[in-house]
Amino acid sequence: MILELKNIDKSFGEKEVLKGVTFTAEGGKAFGLLGRNGAGKTTSIRILMNVFPANSGEVFIDGKPIDYDKIGIGYLPEERGLYPKKIIIDQLVYFAELKGMNTKDAVKSVDYWLERLGMTEYRNKRLDTLSKGNQQKIQLITALAHNPDIVILDEPFSGLDPVNAMLLKDVVKEQISKGKIVLFSSHQMSYIEEFCDSIAIINAGKVAISGDLHEIKRNYVRDKLVVSTTNPEQIKADLGNSCFKRDDGTLLIQLGTPDEKQAMMKRLVENYDIDEVKVFEPSLNDIFVEYAGEKI
Amino acid sequence: MKQFAKILKFELKGYLRNKIFVGITIFLIVAIAIVMFIPNIIAAFQSDDDGEAITTDLPTMLIYAEDENLSAIVSEYFGNTFVEYNVKVAGGSLDDVKNEITSGFAECAFVMNSASSYTYYVNNLSMYDSNTAIADTVLQEVYRINAMMQNGLTPEQVGEIMSVQIVSSTETLGKDQMQNFFYTYIMIFALYMVILLYGQMVATNVATEKSSRAMEVLITSAKPTSMMFGKVLASCIAGFSQLVLVFGTAILLYNVNKNALSNPLIASIFDIPLELFIYLIVFFVLGFLIYAFMFGAIGSTASKLEDINTSVMPITFLFIIAFMVVMFSMSSGSVDNTAMLVCSYIPFTSPMAMFTRICMSTVAWYEIFISIAILIGSTIGIGVLSAKIYRVGVLLYGTPPKISTILKTVFKKQ
């Protein structure tokens, strides 16, 4: 299954929030939707979920306009919250029913998920009696209980302890392995790097870059070298402003052009005591800062 | 439709599990039961006492006159008239009489200057003190009897003249305002209470979902129209069931205690004609819905529960004005004044105004039909509009937006 957002424009009053947002996410893979606060991620998600219509552009599934009666979407919003005063099983079943399940199946599915997330003992308790992390697990069930085709998780790991984060990772991997489209939105780049095969970075309502994460990294301009050496100070003194010392003690050397790579490597190996020299591969964090950083 | 049914069921369950809702209903039923059984209870106690020692606790009324003959005659007549007083002839001086009143021994005194002139002494004059009016009537009668006897009429003739009976009857061709007044009053008041109470509940309900952020999931799970109609109809059903329970209990217990409750006033409340009862339900349901939709829409624009009270104020004012117009017109006795005529076609005021006019005046069928038609159309229109406001409103956080801004957004979309 392939989900496509094509040329989505959206304005609220005079303010243009999305300008031609386009990206593609595939089933069986996780997709990371990145962007700074206010970049337009939540608006894109809401349009995808048909909360409000786009001014122009369309959402497609396998090349056809999406039919919301047939495609189930599960959503874990960034702003968590359910009914604090209501019994957990009642509200979970209610949300599953709203998504089109019958009562019997809804109860069965909710019970499965309560068991799976170790929450069965809270089944008949009020939500506000639970800790924040446990409330978050209950909220996750609202996104998964109706067995959706598309799972949208907005900052799923925030507020979870390492054990619960591990449990959530397993659940997410399981959803991916079932062939579902898992759409992540997060500022925690390590999780996105761990799960997502492809990403889109939205900046000021436009897609700044999108596609396969490995390809994005590979296509990154290869004009920096990372050098591990016993005498960094001397190299730094010799190369001047084009050399920076990194937090881990290695050096980052900025080349004039990528073509200077071979010559610089040779020069370093011949003149200094070098442990390792390699072309700098950016982390997702570096890519994010570059594409989402300054243009707002 | 399926979604709507689920929402309705969930919201209704919420009302049934709401301890305050259940508590108030039970309290009202118990209160009604007590009121209905009071005459029986009093009767039971009275039959035990057999009317003994009733006079002992009566307040004292003193009659004072320099002419002993006059004080004897007046005290005899007053004794027969003021049965709730222990009427005594006072001895001593005028100051003694005043002292007895200020010390609390006697409650009041009539100091007779002549057969047709007196001074009434009382410690604290109550707003409802009608003793002088009664005394005037009795003294006039005494004066007339004496005058007639002095002019040579026999006591029998005087008795005949004084006890003449006037036979009269009233044929009401339209509506009997006296008889309909009380149930109209009660129904208008019930409508007022229920709409304000439940309207506020709907607004709070929506705002709670928003402030707890349950809305984030809800709005992506269900259509705003289903949400709005589900919520409002659930509150309508809950409110209506509460009324049916309370008034049902009242009617049932009235029939059980019918003999004890022989008061014609109470009887008039329960003898509501079927036709009026049907109008009552129509106006009640439509009035409830139109306001509940507005309250729901307003609730969706508030981000915090604290904002609700200020946000709903315009609607509450509108409603209170409608209520005041109806109440003043009812007490003035002219329910067909211009304000009422206008109000009976405006959908926000017609549930109370038109219902009152139907109850207490004669209204042509087509007037009722037009009023109901306007009300039905407006209710549907307001319902759809409120669902649209709801969809825009629930996603807006921060300072509650102006209703004009929201309406602009809603209409721009269409």
Side-chain angles (χ1 to χ4, degrees), chain B residues 124-302:
Chain B
N124 294 317
L125 184 60
S126 152
M127 265 170 72
Y128 304 104
D129 194 331
S130 55
N131 287 352
T132 53
I134 297 170
D136 291 353
T137 316
V138 173
L139 290 173
Q140 271 174 358
E141 212 168 281
V142 173
Y143 182 84
R144 281 174 196 148
I145 291 169
N146 284 339
M148 282 189 272
M149 302 240 297
Q150 277 166 15
N151 280 305
L153 292 181
T154 63
E156 289 76 27
Q157 284 172 316
V158 172
E160 211 171 289
I161 292 170
M162 294 309 288
S163 61
V164 63
Q165 292 285 330
I166 308 296
V167 182
S168 82
S169 66
T170 306
E171 290 285 323
T172 310
L173 299 176
K175 298 275 167 62
D176 182 349
Q177 288 200 348
M178 270 299 280
Q179 202 205 342
N180 295 0
F181 183 83
F182 288 101
Y183 63 67
T184 313
Y185 190 88
I186 289 175
M187 289 310 150
I188 294 294
F189 213 80
L191 187 69
Y192 175 78
M193 294 291 288
V194 169
I195 286 182
L196 277 192
L197 201 74
Y198 281 86
Q200 194 85 15
M201 269 192 188
V202 172
T204 314
N205 187 321
V206 174
T208 311
E209 280 175 355
K210 203 178 153 186
S211 70
S212 74
R213 306 276 173 162
M215 194 57 83
E216 297 277 333
V217 180
L218 277 173
I219 199 74
T220 55
S221 309
K223 288 193 183 77
T225 328
S226 310
M227 293 286 303
M228 189 51 122
F229 279 78
K231 268 179 199 305
V232 166
L233 276 173
S235 76
C236 184
I237 293 171
F240 211 68
S241 333
Q242 194 176 37
L243 280 186
V244 166
L245 274 175
V246 171
F247 282 98
T249 313
I251 292 167
L252 184 79
L253 293 179
Y254 168 73
N255 284 315
V256 170
N257 297 304
K258 211 167 188 172
N259 295 331
L261 295 163
S262 50
N263 189 329
L265 191 74
I266 299 173
S268 82
I269 297 169
F270 290 99
D271 288 343
I272 179 165
L274 180 69
E275 180 202 348
L276 288 187
F277 190 69
I278 293 168
Y279 281 131
L280 172 73
I281 291 173
V282 170
F283 281 110
F284 202 101
V285 170
L286 291 172
F288 187 101
L289 288 178
I290 200 165
Y291 274 96
F293 280 129
M294 289 199 289
F295 273 110
I298 289 287
S300 73
T301 65

Side-chain angles (χ1 to χ4, degrees), chain A:
Chain A
M1 192 164 58
I2 294 173
L3 165 75
E4 286 173 282
L5 266 76
K6 278 191 181 166
N7 295 318
I8 304 284
D9 287 331
K10 177 75 190 170
S11 4
F12 293 116
E14 299 296 306
K15 198 179 169 204
E16 274 188 88
V17 182
L18 298 182
K19 296 167 223 166
V21 166
T22 301
F23 61 79
T24 307
E26 272 180 66
K29 286 182 178 174
F31 182 87
L33 190 60
L34 309 178
R36 289 174 62 180
N37 300 322
K41 298 186 299 284
T42 308
T43 307
S44 305
I45 290 171
R46 283 180 176 162
I47 287 173
L48 163 60
M49 298 190 71
N50 200 26
V51 173
F52 40 66
N55 295 67
S56 64
E58 240 181 304
V59 181
F60 295 94
I61 290 284
D62 293 333
K64 291 177 204 150
I66 186 166
D67 180 353
Y68 290 100
D69 291 333
K70 288 186 184 149
I71 299 292
I73 303 180
Y75 178 43
L76 177 75
E78 185 183 2
E79 297 279 1
R80 313 279 200 263
L82 296 170
Y83 293 104
K85 305 279 177 208
K86 291 202 195 283
I87 304 293
I88 286 170
I89 181 74
D90 289 351
Q91 46 183 319
L92 287 178
V93 168
Y94 174 55
F95 283 117
E97 284 178 336
L98 285 183
K99 297 280 194 182
M101 284 186 119
N102 64 44
T103 313
K104 202 177 143 200
D105 290 345
V107 173
K108 210 171 138 192
S109 173
V110 167
D111 276 335
Y112 162 78
W113 279 106
L114 285 170
E115 171 86 44
R116 173 87 168 79
L117 299 177
M119 300 296 290
T120 307
E121 59 177 304
Y122 304 110
R123 187 182 190 271
N124 296 314
K125 293 217 159 66
R126 268 171 35 170
L127 184 73
D128 57 2
T129 60
L130 269 61
S131 70
K132 195 178 164 226
N134 282 340
Q135 288 193 19
Q136 189 145 328
K137 280 155 89 177
I138 296 298
Q139 181 110 33
L140 182 67
I141 298 177
T142 62
L144 299 172
H146 58 291
N147 195 21
D149 306 291
I150 302 171
V151 182
I152 302 172
L153 306 171
D154 203 341
E155 291 294 356
F157 293 98
S158 75
L160 289 185
D161 64 40
V163 177
N164 279 329
M166 190 73 86
L167 184 61
L168 177 58
K169 275 187 198 176
D170 288 344
V171 170
V172 171
K173 281 178 188 159
E174 187 186 279
Q175 295 292 309
I176 296 170
S177 69
K178 282 183 178 168
K180 298 182 178 185
I181 296 174
V182 178
L183 212 146
F184 265 106
S185 171
S186 179
H187 293 129
Q188 288 171 284
M189 299 300 155
S190 56
Y191 286 116
I192 300 278
E193 259 186 314
E194 186 177 343
F195 286 109
C196 298
D197 303 294
S198 37
I199 60 158
I201 295 177
I202 299 185
N203 186 13
K206 285 182 186 161
V207 176
I209 186 166
S210 74
D212 186 278
L213 183 57
H214 299 293
E215 250 170 64
I216 290 174
K217 282 187 176 181
R218 217 175 302 130
N219 293 339
Y220 198 80
V221 189
R222 300 167 79 81
D223 61 353
K224 291 188 193 82
L225 295 179
V226 179
V227 181
S228 181
T229 173
T230 50
N231 51 352
E233 296 307 326
Q234 198 189 338
I235 300 175
K236 213 168 164 258
D238 292 349
L239 293 178
N241 283 345
S242 61
C243 184
F244 311 92
K245 193 167 181 185
R246 304 215 302 174
D247 291 343
D248 61 358
T250 57
L251 292 175
L252 185 72
I253 298 168
Q254 176 70 55
L255 305 171
T257 60
D259 302 340
E260 295 170 15
K261 186 175 70 185
Q262 295 290 347
M264 180 57 87
M265 278 181 166
K266 200 176 165 196
R267 180 179 159 193
L268 288 168
V269 173
E270 284 174 359
N271 297 312
Y272 307 97
D273 178 20
I274 300 294
D275 294 334
E276 189 188 11
V277 58
K278 61 178 182 185
V279 175
F280 171 75
E281 283 248 336
S283 67
L284 183 57
N285 205 50
D286 298 318
I287 295 171
F288 182 83
V289 170
E290 172 156 352
Y291 284 95
E294 294 155 8
K295 295 169 192 168
I296 289 177

